[in-house]
Coordinates of all heavy atoms in Angstrom, one line a residue:
M1 N 110.7 -96.4 111.5 CA 111.1 -95.6 112.5 C 112.6 -96.0 113.0 O 112.7 -97.1 113.5 CB 110.0 -95.6 113.6 CG 110.4 -94.7 114.7 SD 109.1 -94.6 115.9 CE 109.5 -95.9 117.1
A2 N 113.3 -95.0 113.1 CA 114.7 -95.2 113.6 C 114.7 -94.7 115.0 O 114.2 -93.8 115.4 CB 115.8 -94.5 112.8
F3 N 115.5 -95.5 115.8 CA 115.6 -95.2 117.2 C 117.0 -95.7 117.8 O 117.6 -96.5 117.1 CB 114.5 -95.8 118.1 CG 114.5 -97.4 118.1 CD1 115.2 -98.0 119.2 CD2 113.8 -98.0 117.1 CE1 115.2 -99.4 119.2 CE2 113.8 -99.4 117.3 CZ 114.5 -100.2 118.2
S4 N 117.5 -95.2 118.9 CA 118.6 -95.6 119.5 C 118.3 -95.7 121.1 O 117.3 -95.0 121.5 CB 119.8 -94.6 119.4 OG 120.1 -94.5 118.1
V5 N 119.0 -96.6 121.8 CA 119.0 -96.6 123.2 C 120.1 -95.9 123.9 O 121.3 -96.2 123.4 CB 118.8 -98.1 123.6 CG1 118.9 -98.3 125.1 CG2 117.6 -98.9 123.0
V6 N 120.0 -95.0 124.8 CA 121.0 -94.5 125.6 C 120.9 -95.0 127.0 O 119.9 -95.0 127.7 CB 120.8 -92.9 125.6 CG1 122.0 -92.4 126.5 CG2 121.0 -92.3 124.2
I7 N 121.9 -95.6 127.4 CA 122.1 -96.2 128.9 C 122.9 -95.2 129.6 O 124.1 -94.9 129.1 CB 122.8 -97.5 128.8 CG1 121.9 -98.5 128.0 CG2 122.9 -98.1 130.2 CD1 122.5 -99.8 127.6
D8 N 122.4 -94.7 130.7 CA 123.1 -93.7 131.6 C 123.4 -94.3 132.9 O 122.5 -94.1 133.8 CB 122.4 -92.3 131.6 CG 123.0 -91.4 132.4 OD1 124.3 -91.3 132.6 OD2 122.3 -90.4 132.9
P9 N 124.4 -95.0 133.3 CA 124.6 -95.6 134.6 C 124.8 -94.5 135.6 O 125.6 -93.6 135.4 CB 126.0 -96.3 134.4 CG 126.1 -96.4 132.9 CD 125.4 -95.4 132.3
G10 N 124.0 -94.7 136.7 CA 124.0 -93.6 137.7 C 125.2 -93.6 138.5 O 126.0 -94.6 138.5
H11 N 125.4 -92.4 139.1 CA 126.6 -92.3 140.2 C 128.0 -92.4 139.2 O 128.0 -92.3 138.2 CB 126.5 -93.2 141.3 CG 125.1 -93.0 141.9 ND1 124.8 -91.9 142.7 CD2 124.0 -94.0 142.1 CE1 123.5 -92.0 143.2 NE2 123.1 -93.3 142.8
G12 N 128.9 -92.8 140.1 CA 130.3 -93.0 139.4 C 131.3 -92.0 140.0 O 130.8 -90.8 140.5
G13 N 132.5 -92.4 140.0 CA 133.6 -91.5 140.5 C 133.4 -91.1 141.9 O 133.4 -92.1 142.7
D14 N 133.4 -89.8 142.2 CA 133.3 -89.4 143.6 C 131.9 -89.7 144.1 O 131.8 -89.7 145.4 CB 133.5 -87.9 143.6 CG 134.8 -87.5 143.1 OD1 135.9 -88.3 143.3 OD2 135.0 -86.2 142.7
D15 N 130.8 -90.0 143.4 CA 129.6 -90.3 143.9 C 129.3 -91.7 143.8 O 129.0 -92.4 142.7 CB 128.5 -89.6 143.0 CG 127.1 -89.8 143.5 OD1 126.8 -90.4 144.5 OD2 126.1 -89.4 142.7
G16 N 129.5 -92.4 145.0 CA 129.4 -93.9 145.1 C 127.9 -94.3 145.1 O 127.6 -95.5 145.0
G17 N 127.0 -93.4 145.4 CA 125.6 -93.8 145.7 C 125.4 -94.5 147.0 O 126.2 -94.3 147.9
A18 N 124.5 -95.4 147.1 CA 124.1 -96.1 148.4 C 125.2 -97.3 148.5 O 125.7 -97.7 147.5 CB 122.8 -96.8 148.3
V19 N 125.6 -97.5 149.8 CA 126.6 -98.6 150.0 C 126.0 -99.4 151.1 O 125.5 -98.9 152.2 CB 127.8 -98.0 150.6 CG1 128.9 -99.0 150.9 CG2 128.5 -97.0 149.5
G20 N 126.0 -100.7 151.1 CA 125.6 -101.7 152.1 C 125.8 -103.0 151.7 O 125.8 -103.4 150.4
N21 N 126.0 -103.9 152.8 CA 126.2 -105.2 152.4 C 127.3 -105.6 151.4 O 127.1 -106.6 150.7 CB 124.9 -106.0 152.0 CG 123.9 -106.0 153.1 OD1 124.1 -106.1 154.3 ND2 122.7 -105.6 152.6
G22 N 128.2 -104.8 151.4 CA 129.4 -104.9 150.6 C 129.2 -104.6 149.1 O 129.8 -104.8 148.2
I23 N 128.1 -103.9 148.9 CA 127.6 -103.5 147.5 C 127.8 -102.0 147.4 O 127.2 -101.3 148.4 CB 126.3 -103.9 147.2 CG1 126.1 -105.5 147.2 CG2 125.8 -103.4 145.9 CD1 124.8 -106.0 147.1
V24 N 128.4 -101.5 146.3 CA 128.4 -100.0 146.1 C 127.6 -99.9 144.9 O 127.8 -100.4 143.8 CB 129.8 -99.7 145.9 CG1 129.9 -98.1 145.6 CG2 130.8 -100.0 147.1
E25 N 126.6 -98.9 145.0 CA 125.6 -98.7 143.9 C 126.3 -98.4 142.7 O 125.9 -98.8 141.6 CB 124.6 -97.5 144.3 CG 123.5 -97.4 143.4 CD 122.5 -96.4 143.9 OE1 122.7 -95.8 145.0 OE2 121.4 -96.3 143.2
K26 N 127.3 -97.5 142.7 CA 127.9 -97.0 141.4 C 128.5 -98.3 140.5 O 128.4 -98.2 139.5 CB 128.9 -96.0 141.6 CG 130.2 -96.4 142.4 CD 131.3 -95.4 142.4 CE 132.6 -95.9 143.0 NZ 133.6 -94.9 143.0
D27 N 129.1 -99.2 141.5 CA 129.6 -100.3 140.8 C 128.6 -101.3 140.1 O 128.7 -101.9 139.1 CB 130.3 -101.2 141.7 CG 131.7 -100.3 142.3 OD1 132.2 -99.5 141.5 OD2 132.1 -100.7 143.4
L28 N 127.4 -101.5 140.9 CA 126.4 -102.3 140.4 C 125.6 -101.6 139.1 O 125.3 -102.5 138.2 CB 125.3 -102.5 141.6 CG 124.3 -103.5 141.4 CD1 124.8 -104.9 141.1 CD2 123.3 -103.6 142.5
T29 N 125.4 -100.4 139.2 CA 124.7 -99.7 138.1 C 125.5 -99.9 136.9 O 125.1 -100.1 135.8 CB 124.3 -98.3 138.3 OG1 125.6 -97.7 138.7 CG2 123.4 -98.2 139.4
L30 N 126.9 -99.8 137.0 CA 127.8 -99.8 135.9 C 127.9 -101.2 135.3 O 127.8 -101.4 134.0 CB 129.1 -99.3 136.2 CG 130.2 -99.4 135.0 CD1 129.7 -98.5 133.8 CD2 131.5 -98.9 135.5
A31 N 127.9 -102.2 136.2 CA 128.0 -103.7 135.8 C 126.6 -104.1 135.0 O 126.7 -104.7 133.9 CB 128.2 -104.5 137.0
I32 N 125.5 -103.7 135.6 CA 124.3 -104.0 134.9 C 124.2 -103.3 133.6 O 123.8 -103.9 132.6 CB 123.1 -103.6 135.8 CG1 123.0 -104.5 137.0 CG2 121.8 -103.6 135.0 CD1 122.0 -104.1 138.1
S33 N 124.6 -102.0 133.5 CA 124.6 -101.1 132.3 C 125.4 -101.8 131.2 O 125.1 -101.7 130.0 CB 125.0 -99.7 132.6 OG 124.1 -99.2 133.5
K34 N 126.5 -102.3 131.6 CA 127.4 -103.0 130.6 C 126.7 -104.3 130.0 O 126.9 -104.6 128.9 CB 128.8 -103.3 131.2 CG 129.7 -102.0 131.4 CD 131.1 -102.5 132.0 CE 131.9 -101.2 132.0 NZ 133.3 -101.8 132.7
I35 N 126.2 -104.9 130.8 CA 125.5 -106.2 130.3 C 124.3 -105.7 129.3 O 124.2 -106.4 128.3 CB 124.8 -106.9 131.5 CG1 126.0 -107.6 132.4 CG2 124.0 -108.0 131.1 CD1 125.6 -108.1 133.8
M36 N 123.6 -104.8 129.7 CA 122.5 -104.3 128.8 C 123.1 -103.8 127.6 O 122.5 -104.0 126.5 CB 121.8 -103.0 129.5 CG 120.9 -103.6 130.7 SD 120.3 -102.1 131.7 CE 119.5 -101.1 130.4
Y37 N 124.2 -103.0 127.6 CA 124.7 -102.5 126.3 C 125.2 -103.6 125.4 O 124.9 -103.6 124.3 CB 125.9 -101.7 126.7 CG 126.7 -101.1 125.6 CD1 126.5 -99.8 125.0 CD2 127.9 -101.8 125.2 CE1 127.2 -99.5 123.9 CE2 128.6 -101.3 124.1 CZ 128.2 -100.1 123.4 OH 128.8 -99.7 122.4
D38 N 125.8 -104.7 126.0 CA 126.4 -105.7 125.2 C 125.2 -106.5 124.5 O 125.2 -107.0 123.5 CB 127.2 -106.7 126.0 CG 128.5 -106.2 126.4 OD1 128.9 -105.2 125.9 OD2 129.0 -106.6 127.4
E39 N 124.1 -106.6 125.3 CA 122.8 -107.4 124.7 C 122.2 -106.6 123.6 O 121.8 -107.1 122.6 CB 121.9 -107.7 125.9 CG 120.9 -108.5 125.6 CD 121.1 -109.9 125.1 OE1 122.2 -110.4 125.3 OE2 120.2 -110.6 124.5
F40 N 122.1 -105.3 123.9 CA 121.6 -104.5 122.8 C 122.4 -104.5 121.6 O 121.9 -104.6 120.4 CB 121.4 -103.0 123.2 CG 120.1 -102.7 124.0 CD1 120.3 -102.2 125.3 CD2 118.9 -103.0 123.7 CE1 119.1 -102.0 126.2 CE2 117.7 -102.9 124.4 CZ 117.9 -102.2 125.8
K41 N 123.7 -104.5 121.7 CA 124.7 -104.6 120.5 C 124.4 -105.9 119.9 O 124.3 -105.9 118.7 CB 126.0 -104.5 121.0 CG 126.4 -103.1 121.4 CD 126.6 -102.1 120.1 CE 127.9 -101.8 119.8 NZ 127.9 -100.8 118.9
R42 N 124.4 -106.9 120.6 CA 124.2 -108.4 120.1 C 122.9 -108.4 119.3 O 122.8 -109.1 118.2 CB 124.1 -109.4 121.3 CG 124.1 -110.8 120.8 CD 124.0 -111.8 121.9 NE 122.6 -111.8 122.5 CZ 121.6 -112.3 121.9 NH1 121.5 -112.9 120.8 NH2 120.4 -112.2 122.4
L43 N 121.9 -107.7 119.7 CA 120.6 -107.8 119.0 C 120.6 -106.8 117.8 O 119.6 -106.7 117.1 CB 119.4 -107.5 119.9 CG 119.2 -108.4 121.0 CD1 118.2 -107.9 122.1 CD2 118.7 -109.6 120.4
G44 N 121.6 -106.0 117.6 CA 121.7 -105.2 116.5 C 121.0 -103.9 116.7 O 120.6 -103.1 115.8
I45 N 120.6 -103.6 118.0 CA 119.9 -102.2 118.3 C 121.0 -101.2 118.6 O 122.0 -101.4 119.4 CB 119.1 -102.5 119.5 CG1 118.0 -103.5 119.3 CG2 118.5 -101.2 120.0 CD1 117.1 -103.9 120.4
P46 N 120.9 -100.0 117.9 CA 121.8 -99.0 118.1 C 121.7 -98.5 119.6 O 120.7 -98.1 120.2 CB 121.3 -97.7 117.3 CG 120.4 -98.4 116.1 CD 119.8 -99.6 116.9
V47 N 122.9 -98.6 120.2 CA 123.0 -98.3 121.6 C 124.2 -97.4 122.0 O 125.3 -97.6 121.3 CB 123.0 -99.6 122.6 CG1 124.1 -100.5 122.2 CG2 122.8 -99.3 124.1
Y48 N 124.1 -96.6 123.0 CA 125.2 -95.7 123.4 C 125.1 -95.8 125.0 O 124.1 -96.0 125.6 CB 124.9 -94.2 123.1 CG 124.9 -94.1 121.6 CD1 123.6 -94.1 120.9 CD2 126.0 -94.1 120.8 CE1 123.5 -94.1 119.6 CE2 125.8 -93.9 119.3 CZ 124.6 -94.0 118.8 OH 124.5 -93.9 117.4
I49 N 126.4 -95.5 125.6 CA 126.4 -95.6 127.0 C 127.2 -94.3 127.4 O 128.1 -93.9 126.7 CB 127.0 -96.9 127.6 CG1 126.9 -96.9 129.1 CG2 128.5 -97.0 127.0 CD1 127.3 -98.5 129.6
T50 N 126.7 -93.6 128.5 CA 127.3 -92.3 128.8 C 128.6 -92.4 129.6 O 129.4 -91.6 129.5 CB 126.4 -91.5 129.7 OG1 126.1 -92.2 130.9 CG2 125.2 -91.0 129.0
R51 N 128.8 -93.7 130.2 CA 130.1 -93.9 130.9 C 130.3 -95.5 131.0 O 129.5 -96.2 131.2 CB 130.2 -93.4 132.2 CG 129.4 -94.0 133.3 CD 129.7 -93.4 134.9 NE 128.8 -94.1 135.7 CZ 129.2 -95.2 136.5 NH1 130.6 -95.5 136.5 NH2 128.5 -95.6 137.5
S52 N 131.6 -95.8 130.7 CA 131.9 -97.3 130.7 C 133.0 -97.6 131.7 O 133.5 -98.7 131.7 CB 132.4 -97.7 129.2 OG 133.5 -96.9 128.9
N53 N 133.4 -96.6 132.6 CA 134.2 -96.8 133.6 C 133.8 -95.9 134.8 O 132.9 -95.2 134.7 CB 135.6 -96.4 133.2 CG 135.8 -95.1 132.5 OD1 135.2 -94.2 133.2 ND2 136.6 -94.8 131.5
D54 N 134.7 -96.0 135.8 CA 134.2 -95.4 137.1 C 134.7 -93.9 137.0 O 135.9 -93.6 137.5 CB 134.9 -96.1 138.3 CG 134.5 -95.5 139.6 OD1 133.3 -94.8 139.7 OD2 135.1 -95.7 140.7
E55 N 133.9 -93.0 136.5 CA 134.2 -91.6 136.4 C 133.1 -90.7 136.9 O 132.0 -91.1 136.8 CB 134.6 -91.2 134.9 CG 133.4 -91.4 134.0 CD 133.9 -91.1 132.5 OE1 134.5 -90.0 132.3 OE2 133.6 -91.8 131.6
T56 N 133.5 -89.6 137.2 CA 132.4 -88.5 137.8 C 132.0 -87.8 136.5 O 132.9 -87.3 135.8 CB 133.1 -87.6 138.8 OG1 133.6 -88.3 140.0 CG2 132.1 -86.6 139.1
L57 N 130.7 -87.8 136.4 CA 130.1 -86.9 135.3 C 129.1 -85.9 135.9 O 128.2 -86.3 136.5 CB 129.2 -87.8 134.4 CG 130.1 -88.7 133.6 CD1 129.1 -89.7 132.7 CD2 131.0 -88.2 132.6
V58 N 129.4 -84.6 135.7 CA 128.4 -83.6 136.1 C 127.3 -83.7 135.2 O 127.4 -84.3 134.1 CB 129.0 -82.2 136.1 CG1 130.2 -82.1 137.0 CG2 129.6 -81.8 134.6
P59 N 126.1 -83.2 135.6 CA 124.9 -83.3 134.8 C 125.1 -82.8 133.4 O 124.6 -83.5 132.3 CB 123.8 -82.6 135.5 CG 124.2 -82.7 137.0 CD 125.7 -82.7 136.9
S60 N 125.7 -81.7 133.1 CA 125.9 -81.2 131.9 C 126.7 -82.0 130.9 O 126.4 -82.2 129.7 CB 126.5 -79.8 131.8 OG 127.7 -79.7 132.5
E61 N 127.7 -82.7 131.5 CA 128.5 -83.7 130.7 C 127.6 -85.0 130.3 O 127.7 -85.5 129.2 CB 129.8 -84.2 131.4 CG 130.6 -85.2 130.8 CD 131.2 -84.8 129.3 OE1 131.1 -83.5 129.2 OE2 131.6 -85.6 128.5
R62 N 126.9 -85.4 131.3 CA 125.9 -86.6 130.9 C 125.0 -86.2 129.7 O 124.8 -87.0 128.8 CB 125.0 -86.9 132.1 CG 125.7 -87.6 133.3 CD 124.8 -88.1 134.2 NE 125.4 -88.6 135.4 CZ 125.9 -89.8 135.4 NH1 125.7 -90.6 134.6 NH2 126.5 -90.3 136.5
V63 N 124.5 -84.9 129.8 CA 123.6 -84.4 128.6 C 124.4 -84.4 127.4 O 124.0 -84.7 126.4 CB 122.9 -83.2 129.0 CG1 122.1 -82.5 127.8 CG2 122.0 -83.4 130.1
R64 N 125.5 -83.8 127.4 CA 126.4 -83.7 126.3 C 126.7 -85.0 125.5 O 126.7 -85.1 124.3 CB 127.7 -83.0 126.5 CG 128.7 -82.6 125.3 CD 130.0 -82.2 125.6 NE 130.8 -83.3 126.1 CZ 131.3 -84.3 125.3 NH1 131.0 -84.3 124.1 NH2 132.0 -85.2 125.8
R65 N 127.0 -86.1 126.4 CA 127.3 -87.3 125.8 C 126.0 -88.0 125.2 O 126.1 -88.9 124.4 CB 127.9 -88.3 126.8 CG 129.2 -87.8 127.4 CD 129.8 -88.7 128.4 NE 131.1 -88.3 128.8 CZ 132.0 -88.9 129.5 NH1 131.7 -90.2 129.9 NH2 133.2 -88.4 129.8
I66 N 124.8 -87.7 125.6 CA 123.6 -88.3 125.1 C 123.4 -87.7 123.8 O 123.1 -88.3 122.8 CB 122.5 -88.0 126.0 CG1 122.6 -88.8 127.2 CG2 121.1 -88.2 125.3 CD1 121.5 -88.5 128.4

């Protein structure tokens, strides 16, 4: 059975998500997503990520990238 993993970091760009204690959700979700992406790659698991930088993605663009 073939499969792939798609990582979709939430928020980004104009949508910062929650903010508190010096943490911005969009930054944290992207950082964690990049770590996950690198680990899946290292393990040889096919993986894709919808965004790798701080950009705004409308829902239709997120779906298109998946």
Side-chain angles (χ1 to χ4, degrees):
M1 177 171 93
F3 64 91
S4 298
V5 174
V6 177
I7 301 169
D8 182 25
H11 305 292
D14 297 334
D15 180 4
V19 179
N21 298 318
I23 299 170
V24 179
E25 187 176 4
K26 70 177 182 177
D27 297 334
L28 188 59
T29 59
L30 183 57
I32 292 169
S33 296
K34 286 180 175 181
I35 292 167
M36 291 169 54
Y37 178 84
D38 291 343
E39 187 64 11
F40 281 123
K41 285 292 247 192
R42 186 186 70 77
L43 293 170
I45 297 171
V47 61
Y48 303 92
I49 192 166
T50 56
R51 70 177 183 95
S52 57
N53 56 38
D54 185 21
E55 63 179 312
T56 302
L57 294 178
V58 296
S60 60
E61 179 62 16
R62 286 185 187 277
V63 171
R64 189 191 70 72
R65 291 183 184 192
I66 291 170

